Structure formats: structure tokens, C-alpha cells
Amino acid sequence: MPRRSNSGKTGAMTDVSTPPNPAPEPPNVDPDLLDDLVDAVDERDTRWLARTLQRMHPADAADLLEALPFDAFSEAVELLGGELPSDILIELRDSYREEAVDVLPDTAVASALDELDSDDATVILEDLEDERRERILEDLEPFDRAQLERGLAYEEESAGRLMQTEFVAVPEYWTVGHAIDHARELGEELPEVFYEIYVIDPAYRLQGIVQLATLMRTPRDVQLSDIMTDPLSDIRTDMDQEEVAFQFQKYSLASAPVKDAAGRLVGMITVDDMVDVIQEEAEEDLFSLLNVSSADGADSVVDTVRARAPWLAVNLVTAFIASGIISLFEGTLNQVVQLAILMPVVAALGGNAGSQGLVVAVRAIAERQLEGDAVRRAILREALSGIVNGLLFAVGVGLVALVWFHDVKLSVVLGTAMLATFLWAAFSGILVPLGLKKLGADPAVASSVFVLTLTDVMAFFSFLGLATLVLL
Amino acid sequence: MPRRSNSGKTGAMTDVSTPPNPAPEPPNVDPDLLDDLVDAVDERDTRWLARTLQRMHPADAADLLEALPFDAFSEAVELLGGELPSDILIELRDSYREEAVDVLPDTAVASALDELDSDDATVILEDLEDERRERILEDLEPFDRAQLERGLAYEEESAGRLMQTEFVAVPEYWTVGHAIDHARELGEELPEVFYEIYVIDPAYRLQGIVQLATLMRTPRDVQLSDIMTDPLSDIRTDMDQEEVAFQFQKYSLASAPVKDAAGRLVGMITVDDMVDVIQEEAEEDLFSLLNVSSADGADSVVDTVRARAPWLAVNLVTAFIASGIISLFEGTLNQVVQLAILMPVVAALGGNAGSQGLVVAVRAIAERQLEGDAVRRAILREALSGIVNGLLFAVGVGLVALVWFHDVKLSVVLGTAMLATFLWAAFSGILVPLGLKKLGADPAVASSVFVLTLTDVMAFFSFLGLATLVLL
């Protein structure tokens, strides 16, 4: 029950701080263009398809293709085959990209792997079933193949998976002039985008970083070692993406070098990859608190059921625990039916009070704001606001009940139970996540089952228990 | 009740996909250094303070200061006064930055405004009360003052507020060589960091963009107009930050030019500012669904109570609506007390089923994934998985109830109510947010009050209603 009401109000509350939905949104795709596309697919006009898509920005082309009915999308990809630009393929959302990779012939996939930066190529490889992956990898240049296999060897969601192996590294005795001439020689061989060049020693150990902006404003004859800065980040291939994202955010990085276990420079991560990670990580915690896995949102019913049923199952158990508490007071309920009518109110408000504190605590922990003195302050704050809100709503519900049932004793029981539940909720809302973190568990994942079970038990037990003592 | 259990399970579910909390986290601050800092503040050793902080990266220095007890923090800032580097000031979290600005003398604030990029300076200005702001602005150079006042004139959360007015713009007839020489002349006058230069016509209208990487790999004598690319983004000063963030994410931008209403180039937004916006926007929706305003998490009890009480108040109302529904069946409850014990189960599971769909729908809408054909697919998916889970748990709760109360009729009633509630929840979970979006309302804000009230009403009404028909 809890979530129902408040969430709604939350909205009302945040309206001020929240920007209104960006309405009118610029339509993602031009409807006329979409119609032409549909026709082209029907008429199997591959040339028009290829031409049109190549003329657009890959991200826009991807949006256009995703606007097609799913089957028409597959048909379009099948028609295009090798002519589907790899940079469009990589811009497609997961479900579409996977479908596209399924439909494309091996040769097309292989050439895409060849054209893409290593981090994007790895994404495609992940979509393939093992033996097809093997087959395709075998057709690649031994070097590229080795590189891609190394990429796949890194753990998912590790820096090694996120990084691209294309970057610019130069020796420290070079001057600005050297570096620029070198870049001009390489020309198109250089990575498409990069924001800094890395200064290395003969053993490929990172000595420093030179921002392109710095390189630009420095005279040709200056040595790179004189203008290079120490790297702010310290990212190794096995580092978890959440930690990488944290460093990008903290130091406002546009890109960062990645070192292997031996401290050698092996890759570069760019901010555009981190932006998505930062969003995912921000959502993951809150999704957990909202009973949704970040895996959810898939198109297939099976996936959806599989993703949600398990939590509903746990809810089944915990809901019956609550029922168990209620059943302890069956006798009381038999004599005072009003209790059955009022008990959801205590549980609802208590649950909300607890989860409000919990959400704030979980995010604060994730953003590393709950450390040192902040912890003491947070606990104090939650306790005090728990008391204040508790008193406020103890009186509130008490009055409503009084008006409704004209029963002073009942109202006092309700109010007292309310206050007790609020205090309990306030403490568990902050202490449970902090405790779980101390134990090394993920607070986002484990907290709310504790907090909300605790508050429900407290709500029913205090309300019905007090009622048994006072009203019978 | 709903949120309790599932969230917990969610965790379990996502454990696979979710990276474990980055444990062991690198401690944000070195404890010994913190002790030294505390001593230095006690001994009022300003020189040590200034030296130490200046030697650190601003972000690290900010973390260190924030690790102090709040009063010690204020004391430290007071001691430092003008010697607190402005780039540390801007790295402090809101509550700390505001405190610092309060404590600092006007002269210190003024010089900070002078040193900072315009977008950061605006942040500081926002912290000041009006007449102090006036006083400080008057001490600034007329030009800087005018610039800052223009910045403040833009709406909050608009591109104008986010942009910095420091950027590099050159005429299109220039060559690569020109641009580089020009940059070398300006040297330190150039913005600290920039990733691209803007090519403009005499009327300051943007003609194209040249990535620094492109500039580097191109021979000196090539004209900029030959290597410049069309801007991918189209950002005007009045554009909402959510739309700006969307463009940064879509086109993987590191920075983007900002135009005024007349189409003149007036500023530049860098990705490090957008990263925070993207995180906020991702959190805002989910916070709304979790009854927490993004404003929450403040240190003061008053703020916290003010932030949360209103939603609890609405919850009070809606909880009593639910009670109202229950009270319609007072007679039935009086005769079959088991109903009071079981009704929370229906509400809990139904509420969860509804909110699961709702969360997915709200995020999909925010990320513009629910457009065109995707809408039909999503509705179908929710409906079908609602039926499947509904049947699953109708049987589930039915069996549990049968084992518990050995009453077939009661179990059938419970199961049927369960199924009805699941279907109802599935549809409202997807149709309510879509409908609200059509009406131009923010689905994140308004949906859950509807969805969860609807499911609760349905749960209690169907369960107790059926019971009245069948059991009496």
C-alpha cells in the first residue's frame, strides 16, 4: 500500500524543482521519412535504404530504424546486409542490435567488427552465440582477433570491457612539434575522437597526460615532459565500472587512460561510454528499491515474467508474514472490526516514512556522501524528523479516526501505534542500509526487504497489540 | 506493504547483472591527513591549511574539507578566507558550498567570481542573498558584472545557466596554422579545457565545428572551412537541461556550442556539467516514484520534514480512502475475520505488480523508447505478463490460504480477486503513464498515485466484494 499515495504527491512536491517533461519534444523521427522507409522496405529498394541511412548521423539513422515495426526492422537489416554501416549497428538499442546481428550474414558482422573501435566490437561479439563467434573470429586478421579476444577476456562491467585499445601514446622526450607532426603523418589512422595524448616510457608505463588544448597553446619546441600533467584517475583493467564512473564524475574527465596489472598503458575510456554507466548506476539502486531489475523492460513476455515473478514470490512470503502477525490478534479483530479498517493506515504511513529515509540513505551511500561526520548527522536528522512527522501524523490519523468512529480510546491507540511505527521506521530506514554496508552487502539491494518488513510487523503488532490491551 | 519484499528480492535478482558495491572502496580521504587538518584548524594554522589544500586536486581537497565536522569546516573556511582556492569552493557539495559562501568575506567571494568560469560563477551567485549579491557584483569589473548578470538572467536548469561563455571561435577563412598560432598567442587566456573550436561568420553565427583531434592531424595550410563538421547538437540558451542532456547522450558529445535566440554563438557546454544533469534526471523520475524529492537529503531536520510531510499527508488521505472501501464490507469482516487477515496480501501483491510495470513504463517514456510501434508492443507485453503472473500467484496465494484456513471457498475467492487485481494493475501500470504523457503531464510525478490507488481499491473491493457474494 505505501507507495501508492505518496509517490503521487512526491510529484506534486517536486513539481517546483523538477523541470516539466520536455514537451513539446522534438519528434525523434520525421514521419514522412519513416513512411518512405517503410515503402522502401516493401519495395526492397536496397539502394535507397543504404543511401538514405548513410547520409544521416548514425544515432538518427538508428532512431529511424527503431521506429519501424519490429519485423520490418529485421527485413530492412536483412536487405542492407553488409551495407548497414557498423556505426549505425552500434547505435541501435540492445534488443534491436541483437536482432540485427542475428539477421546479418557472418561476413557483414566480421567487417563491422573490423571497422568498429575495440570497445564497440566487443559489444557485438557479446551478442553472438559461442560457435558463431568462433567462426567469425577465425575470419579476422590474427592481430585484430587476438585484440578482440583479449577484450572479451575482461570481466563484464570492468574497465577492460569499457576501454578502447585505440589511443595516442608518445615518448616523453618528444616536443609539441614532434607530436603534432606525428599526428599529421598518421592522419586518418588516429582514433576518430580523442581529447588527450599519453606520454609513456619505453616500457609503456604512463608518465603523464597532455590535453589537446594544452598541446595547442604550447610552442612547438617545448618538451611534452614539461607540459604533461599527472593523471587524475587511476584506472586498471579489472576496476568495476561503477568505480570508473565515480572517478570520471569526480575529476570531470573527458577520457582516461587504462593500465593493466603490470602498470602498462593498454587502453582509453571516453566519457560518452561513462555517461551511460553513470545513468545505469544511478538507476540500478532505485530500480532495486522499486522491485524492478535493470534487466527489465525487455520486449518479450517471457523475460518480463521471469524478471518480475521472483520478487512477487518474495512479496508473497513477506505479505503472509504480515498476515501472520495480524492473525495473532484474530480474537481482537473479531470484537473490534474497526481495527481491520484502520490497520492498513498505520502500515501504509509507517512504510512510507521508512522508505523515504531509506531511499535518501541508499543514494547518499552510493554517492559516498555518508562517511565520517555525515553519518552521525544523518542518523540524528532521521531520528528527529521521524519524531516530528510521527507526532504530526499520530495526531492527524487520531483526529480522523475520532471523527469517523467517535471512539477516543481507539483514536489514542491508533495515534500511539502511529508514533511508535514512525520512530521505528526512521531508525531502521537509516541504520539498516548503513549496517548492511558495514557487512559488505549492497544496501540498495538488501535494505528495503528488512526495513519494510520491520515497519509492517511493528505497525500491525503495535496497533493490534495496544488495541488488545486498551480496548478489550 | 508492496515495496517491502520485492525490492529485497530484486536485489537477489539483479545480483547477477548488478556489480557488487565497489568494496573495498578507496577511502575518500586519508585519515591521518584529516587528523592533521583538524589540528591545524584548532591551532588556527592558516598557512599549513592553505599550502596543503592548494597542493591537492580541488576535488580531493573538497572531499577532505567535507570530512570535517560541520562547525570545524566553517572555521577552516573562515581561517582561509581569500586563500580558499575558488576551484575548491566550486567542488564542495551544495550544503557545504553555501555555508562557505556565507562565511567568506565579500572580497573573497568577489575574487572567486572573478577567477571561475562563468557557469561556476553563476552557481556561487545563486547562493547569495539578493542585497549581498548586488553589493558584490558592484565591486566587479563592469564587463564581468554584465556577463554574470546575463548568466543569472537565464532560467534555472536552462542551457543558458549551464553554459560557460569562455570558448574558442575563429573565422572560417582561417587555416589550421592560423588557428594553432592564434591559440599559442593567447596561451593561458584560452579556456582551461576545450575539445573543439567553433568556426563563425562575421555575425558570430556558427558555421561549423573543428574537433581538436581533427585540427591536430590536419596540415597547417588546410582551411578550417574544409575540415569543419556540422554541429550535431542544436542547443539554444532557453533549452531545458533535460533536452540538452539527451543530445549529449545521443551524439556522444564532449562539448557543444550554445546559440542565443538570434542564432549567435554565445556559449559552450562541456560534458562534465551534463554528467551531473544526466544523473539527476535519471534519479528524479525514480525519486518521484519513491516519494522522495530530489531536494531531500538536506542536512537540516526542518528541510527533511518539509520535504517528506506533504507526501505522508497525501498518503494519509489515500490510505483512508482504502479504509473507506474496507469499511463498506464491515458486516462481512465481522462474520469472516480471516478476510481481515488476508486482504493485505491482495493489496500488497497487486500494488507491486502495478508499480513494476509503472516504473518500467516511466523510464521508457523518459528515455523516449515508448514511441511508435514500441507502444503497442509494450501494452501487449504488460497485459500478457499480467495474465501469466496473475494466474501464477492466484494459484499461489490460493494454495497458501487453503493450507492455512482449510476453506476452499475462501481460497477461490482470494485467488480470483488476486487475478482480477493483477490484470487491472498490468493495464493501469502502462496506460496511466502513457495517458498522462498524452495530456502533457509528467508521468513520473502523477502516475503512481493513480496506479496504486486504483490497484488498492480494486484489491479490497474485489476480494471483500466476492467474499460477500460467495461466503455469506
Side-chain angles (χ1 to χ4, degrees), chain B residues 44-56:
Chain B
R44 315 187 59 78
D45 182 348
T46 313
R47 269 184 69 246
W48 185 91
L49 274 177
R51 276 242 214 75
T52 318
L53 293 175
Q54 275 148 13
R55 242 190 271 102
M56 303 171 72

Side-chain angles (χ1 to χ4, degrees), chain B residues 28 32 37 48 67-68 72 81 85 108 138 202 224 236 251 255 286 326 362 374 387 408 410 429 442 445 451 464 470:
Chain B
N28 246 352
D32 306 341
L37 185 66
W48 185 91
L68 287 169
E138 271 159 18
L224 295 179
R236 293 183 178 272
Y251 298 115
S255 63
L286 298 171
I326 299 171
V362 165
I387 294 175
V408 179
L410 178 63
D442 181 346
V445 159
V451 172
L464 298 176
V470 177

Side-chain angles (χ1 to χ4, degrees), chain A residues 300-364:
Chain A
S300 106
V301 176
V302 184
D303 294 350
T304 310
V305 171
R306 199 183 287 132
R308 299 182 191 174
W311 315 330
L312 292 168
V314 179
N315 190 204
L316 185 75
V317 176
T318 49
F320 273 111
I321 291 179
S323 301
I325 300 290
I326 300 172
S327 68
L328 297 177
F329 302 95
E330 194 167 336
T332 316
L333 282 165
N334 245 325
Q335 296 173 57
V336 192
V337 71
Q338 288 81 356
L339 297 177
I341 298 172
L342 290 175
M343 65 187 186
V345 178
V346 186
L349 283 166
N352 261 318
S355 60
Q356 287 179 329
L358 175 61
V359 175
V360 175
V362 165
R363 278 315 288 163

Side-chain angles (χ1 to χ4, degrees), chain A residues 229-284:
Chain A
T229 56
D230 294 339
L232 297 170
S233 62
D234 178 18
I235 301 173
R236 292 180 177 274
T237 48
D238 60 357
M239 183 179 277
D240 182 87
Q241 65 175 11
E242 189 170 8
E243 174 61 25
V244 177
F246 181 76
Q247 293 198 22
F248 264 79
Q249 217 165 347
K250 176 172 181 181
Y251 298 115
S252 306
L253 304 173
S255 64
V258 182
K259 293 177 287 185
D260 66 11
R264 280 185 308 268
L265 180 65
V266 289
M268 173 174 76
I269 297 181
T270 51
V271 69
D272 53 302
D273 298 318
M274 294 325 296
V275 163
D276 303 334
V277 172
I278 287 165
Q279 188 177 30
E280 282 166 28
E281 297 293 342
E283 285 173 351
E284 239 159 21

